[in-house]
Amino acid sequence: MKRIEKPVDPSDPHINFENKVSGMELHENQNFFIDLDKTIWNWDELKIGAADLIDTIKSTDREVYFHTDNTLLSRQGYSQKLNKVGIPVQEDDILTAGYVAAQVLVERDIRKVYVAGESGLIEEIQEEDIEITEDADTAVVGLDRSFNYDKLQKIMNIARNGGKILFCSSETVFRRKRGDQPHQGPINKAIEEFGQTEIIGKPSESYRKVFKDYFSYFSGKSVFIGDRFADVETGNQLGMTTAAVLSGEIDEEKLRKADEDEVPDYVLTSLNKLRRRII
């Protein structure tokens, strides 16, 4: 596991949060793994500088990949969405927590599952010929904008009968152009009352295992970029250089209190400043 040699000093009132904390220079890296929600876009619109950042990376013969805990779309759905907004990408360049969930079910030989989630999660699970049914002893939960009492009842029954509940994300806020909406975190809180649960999205060991099997990369030449501590911890655990963009969960005050595994190598206020570090 990667260790930060020089974590942020909470007693220093003059920290330059755009300076590197440790690790190699950003422009020396070959692979860039970038989060989607609140990093590249606010779902309905790209962040300022997102297209230029990706164009810059690709124009210098380096690789860009994407990762997300948002299970509203499948990898194919995200590929179509990114291409529609002018970011050319293939399905295999994207890893979603929905795909991770499907691989976890396959590895554990779970062939029937109850799902609280939307089309992206359902498509990834069905792609592995796993039956989605109420008659299951495992439930997979993703962001579900139609979550209701009936679904909570079904999950409660699974949990109370000794079943396992798998969460695709712990993220609290889903950001859209018109404002913030609840993400999966509040749903998780309701379900946790009833039994054993497990996070399989970032920064879990399950997520990292699927990530390493899915992508071909050299960790010493790769950067993991996101807006949450879950992103930073995932990248650090994978042995990559990490960069946090102050567009989501992370802010300066929280950084001063962060655990060692949550400290990024770079903290940048915008994608444009991240781009300038890469040139």
Side-chain angles (χ1 to χ4, degrees):
M1 182 181 68
K2 173 183 172 183
R3 293 293 181 185
I4 304 298
E5 296 174 1
K6 185 182 177 185
V8 173
D9 180 359
S11 66
D12 183 357
H14 305 296
I15 294 172
N16 181 349
F17 279 89
E18 291 177 9
N19 280 346
K20 180 181 172 187
V21 177
S22 70
M24 70 190 305
E25 294 293 337
L26 277 174
H27 69 266
E28 298 177 280
N29 289 277
Q30 179 63 31
N31 303 302
F32 294 80
F33 295 90
I34 308 177
D35 179 52
L36 291 174
D37 284 355
K38 301 195 295 292
T39 302
I40 288 296
W41 59 35
N42 287 338
W43 191 255
D44 309 283
E45 60 181 359
L46 285 176
K47 291 278 192 179
I48 294 173
D52 287 342
L53 169 66
I54 293 161
D55 285 346
T56 296
I57 296 171
K58 291 190 172 186
S59 69
T60 53
D61 295 323
R62 290 176 285 182
E63 302 297 330
V64 180
Y65 305 99
F66 299 97
H67 52 90
T68 182
D69 274 1
N70 188 329
T71 56
L72 292 185
L73 300 177
S74 63
R75 290 167 299 142
Q76 181 183 43
Y78 279 113
S79 173
Q80 293 170 348
K81 183 174 173 65
L82 284 162
N83 278 283
K84 188 175 180 179
V85 296
I87 297 177
V89 63
Q90 301 296 317
E91 178 179 331
D92 290 344
D93 296 334
I94 305 164
L95 180 63
T96 72
Y99 177 85
V100 172
Q103 301 314 303
V104 168
L105 295 174
V106 169
E107 180 183 2
R108 299 180 186 181
D109 197 27
I110 298 170
R111 305 313 305 177
K112 294 196 304 182
V113 67
Y114 177 71
V115 173
E118 300 191 29
S119 62
L121 178 57
I122 291 168
E123 288 169 17
E124 293 288 8
I125 290 173
Q126 289 180 331
E127 184 72 19
E128 297 295 339
D129 294 323
I130 296 168
E131 181 184 358
I132 296 176
T133 174
E134 296 178 12
D135 180 26
D137 57 12
T138 300
V140 176
V141 182
L143 174 55
D144 187 343
R145 292 169 295 181
S146 298
F147 192 76
N148 57 29
Y149 190 85
D150 184 56
K151 292 179 181 180
L152 182 59
Q153 174 78 60
K154 291 180 173 65
I155 294 170
M156 182 190 78
N157 292 341
I158 290 172
R160 285 190 168 178
N161 288 325
K164 192 67 177 288
I165 314 300
L166 306 179
F167 292 153
C168 292
S169 178
S170 60
E171 191 158 4
T172 302
V173 174
F174 176 48
R175 185 161 296 163
R176 305 198 63 172
K177 184 177 181 180
R178 62 177 179 265
D180 288 351
Q181 298 177 347
H183 207 292
Q184 186 182 332
I187 296 173
N188 296 354
K189 294 293 186 183
I191 294 170
E192 286 168 353
E193 296 290 327
F194 301 117
Q196 184 181 12
T197 63
E198 177 187 352
I199 290 283
I200 56 174
K202 295 175 281 189
S204 70
E205 182 179 353
S206 293
Y207 185 93
R208 298 194 307 271
K209 182 179 185 301
V210 175
F211 186 99
K212 288 187 281 189
D213 290 340
Y214 188 76
F215 290 115
S216 296
Y217 65 97
F218 174 53
S219 59
K221 286 284 188 179
S222 300
V223 185
F224 204 89
I225 301 165
D227 67 282
R228 295 193 295 144
F229 286 114
D231 296 314
V232 175
E233 183 176 346
T234 300
N236 283 340
Q237 293 279 3
L238 289 168
M240 298 187 193
T241 297
T242 50
V245 182
L246 302 184
S247 55
E249 169 189 303
I250 298 174
D251 60 31
E252 295 184 12
E253 181 179 355
K254 290 178 180 177
L255 273 171
R256 298 178 196 277
K257 301 175 183 178
D259 294 336
E260 185 178 3
D261 281 345
E262 297 175 332
V263 178
D265 295 312
Y266 290 87
V267 182
L268 298 135
T269 55
S270 70
L271 294 180
N272 282 329
K273 291 184 178 180
L274 177 57
R275 174 180 170 272
R276 288 198 289 272
R277 291 280 188 174
I278 291 169
I279 296 174

